[in-house]
Amino acid sequence: MTASDRAASPRPLPKPGILDIAAYVGGKSKVEGIAHPVKLSSNENVLGCSDKAKAAYRDAVDRLHIYPDGKSNALRAAVADRYGLEPERLTFGDGSDEIFALLCQVYLEPGDNIVQGEHGFAAYAIGARACQAEVRFAKEPKRRIDVEETIKCVDERTRLVFVANPANPTGTWLTGEEIRELHAALPPSVILVLDGAYAEFATDPRFEDGLALARETQNVIVTRTFSKIHGLAALRVGWGYADFGIIDPIERIRPPFNTSIPGQDAAIAALADREFEAASVALVEQWRPWLAQQLGGLGLTVTPSAANFVLVDFPTTPGKTALDAEAFLASKGYLVRAVANYGLPESIRITIGREEHNRAVVDLLAQFLAR
């Protein structure tokens, strides 16, 4: 469609490519006939959030009539202090999703491209296509980002390479050595985006969060979110850390009041509650291997995960498929996530729940497979 076609149209038309984008679909939160299902479909923190964060949220009620600090200065200082970062090299977003979109707006022109894994998070591709850029999907042998396959996709029009570590929806991860190998193979003009939404749950000593790499280089940005480990998904607060040369252009187009007063205050309080954070990690560390072992005992294949969820493969036999399993669990009040839209039609993703949730899921899937 040309500009003349749009100008001659009897109604406003979006720019080319927008209507070809598949809108993001989140995990299910409701099921007909069940008032309060157990939601294990969106990788939320099943412990909720810190009591300190709740108190900070409540205390913000008398300031709802004023604009928030557009630079998130108090939160900026808290994040910088917690992780030993330079405050001026931070940016804050309406969740880390907004930072991905801003990166695309800053760096992508029509004809440019991004590279992501073939099972990568949908938000990366949505942001790129909205800028009329191409999305290249690197093959993921064993459902892991592969350095060689990723580099094969990079050319002179590549501007961003997105790597979630650990990855969603697979839960797989790269070692610090592998991340540095990938970075070293990229042209200096290409930004490596390290999405650390689930970084706190990756406790293997070979895992690195990428912050040191971002400090030492000019083409790496690390993003984090308060939605997962801190349980503040409803408040939408994320942050990114990079060289000032990356942060400055993002700040120039970032919406001026994109994080709220309650969100900023709750995030500051959540950062200070190390006890809640430790409890959240401990729950996942205890039940993630148990759930994988139990599901494996049912004859199902579980992808090794470093996140707060597991990815489970089901047979292709009619009545035993991943979609059948998702529907069966929903009928019993347990919501999980089928991930065919991520190129994994035989899999469902299950958030690690409390003990009673995990045991119930295993028992229900045993019933499902025995039908």
Side-chain angles (χ1 to χ4, degrees):
M1 180 183 300
T2 67
S4 297
D5 292 333
R6 293 174 69 194
S9 173
R11 59 184 176 84
L13 295 177
K15 64 185 180 181
I18 294 297
L19 296 182
D20 296 326
I21 298 173
Y24 181 80
V25 178
K28 295 178 181 177
S29 59
K30 298 178 181 179
V31 59
E32 187 176 350
I34 298 177
H36 302 290
V38 176
K39 189 183 178 191
L40 303 175
S41 57
S42 296
N43 306 334
E44 294 147 338
N45 191 326
V46 296
L47 296 182
C49 70
S50 160
D51 286 340
K52 295 178 181 178
K54 292 177 184 177
Y57 178 84
R58 295 188 190 102
D59 288 345
V61 70
D62 291 330
R63 289 175 289 147
L64 298 185
H65 62 293
I66 61 175
Y67 285 106
D69 175 5
K71 296 288 287 184
S72 304
N73 283 309
L75 178 56
R76 181 182 300 271
V79 170
D81 181 66
R82 169 68 185 274
Y83 295 99
L85 306 175
E86 302 82 5
E88 68 276 9
R89 293 177 61 172
L90 291 167
T91 189
F92 292 84
D94 179 16
S96 49
D97 292 358
E98 184 179 40
I99 298 173
F100 305 146
L102 291 170
L103 282 165
C104 290
Q105 290 179 51
V106 169
Y107 291 101
L108 297 178
E109 294 181 294
D112 288 338
N113 68 72
I114 71 163
V115 177
Q116 65 175 86
E118 63 180 317
H119 307 304
F121 185 42
Y124 313 148
I126 290 173
R129 287 170 175 151
C131 296
Q132 296 176 286
E134 177 191 359
V135 180
R136 296 185 172 182
F137 295 96
K139 294 180 181 178
E140 294 186 40
K142 299 181 180 178
R143 298 179 175 176
R144 295 178 75 244
I145 290 290
D146 181 270
V147 173
E148 183 176 344
E149 293 292 340
T150 301
I151 295 302
K152 283 181 184 178
C153 296
V154 175
D155 66 9
E156 69 279 359
R157 296 301 300 268
T158 303
R159 300 291 176 259
L160 302 165
V161 173
F162 286 89
V163 175
N165 199 31
N168 175 28
T170 62
T172 56
W173 59 284
L174 300 184
T175 65
E177 182 179 359
E178 289 171 314
I179 290 292
R180 289 191 295 275
E181 180 186 354
L182 173 58
H183 173 258
L186 292 174
S189 60
V190 175
I191 296 176
L192 177 60
V193 185
L194 297 176
D195 175 2
Y198 301 96
E200 293 90 349
F201 300 108
T203 54
D204 188 290
R206 296 171 296 167
F207 177 83
E208 296 178 17
D209 60 19
L211 291 172
L213 184 63
R215 171 178 285 114
E216 299 161 2
T217 62
Q218 294 182 310
N219 65 331
V220 175
I221 182 169
V222 173
T223 64
R224 301 287 277 273
T225 180
F226 283 87
S227 295
K228 305 302 181 182
I229 188 72
H230 298 295
L232 299 180
L235 297 183
R236 314 305 303 130
V237 182
W239 57 272
Y241 171 74
D243 182 81
F244 186 72
I246 293 176
I247 296 299
D248 179 52
I250 291 175
E251 286 294 287
R252 291 172 185 267
I253 68 165
R254 177 182 58 78
F257 306 110
N258 60 334
T259 58
S260 68
I261 288 175
Q264 291 177 23
D265 289 0
I268 292 168
L271 272 181
D273 195 341
R274 299 292 188 92
E275 185 177 347
F276 177 83
E277 187 174 336
S280 300
V281 173
L283 180 141
V284 170
E285 284 192 310
Q286 177 181 358
W287 292 103
R288 182 173 60 200
W290 181 90
L291 193 56
Q293 187 271 336
Q294 292 292 313
L295 294 173
L298 296 178
L300 301 171
T301 301
V302 181
T303 300
S305 172
N308 67 336
F309 57 84
V310 293
L311 186 72
V312 188
D313 293 349
F314 285 79
T316 56
T317 308
K320 305 291 184 183
T321 68
L323 284 176
D324 295 324
E326 181 191 40
F328 177 82
L329 288 172
S331 73
K332 304 298 182 181
Y334 282 79
L335 301 178
V336 297
R337 178 77 182 268
V339 287
N341 59 320
Y342 284 98
L344 297 163
E346 299 171 8
S347 307
I348 62 172
R349 191 189 65 195
I350 306 173
T351 305
I352 307 301
R354 295 177 180 268
E355 176 178 359
E356 60 270 26
H357 304 148
N358 302 323
R359 292 188 182 279
V361 165
V362 171
D363 290 343
L364 288 169
L365 286 177
Q367 296 174 33
F368 166 76
L369 293 169
R371 290 189 305 173

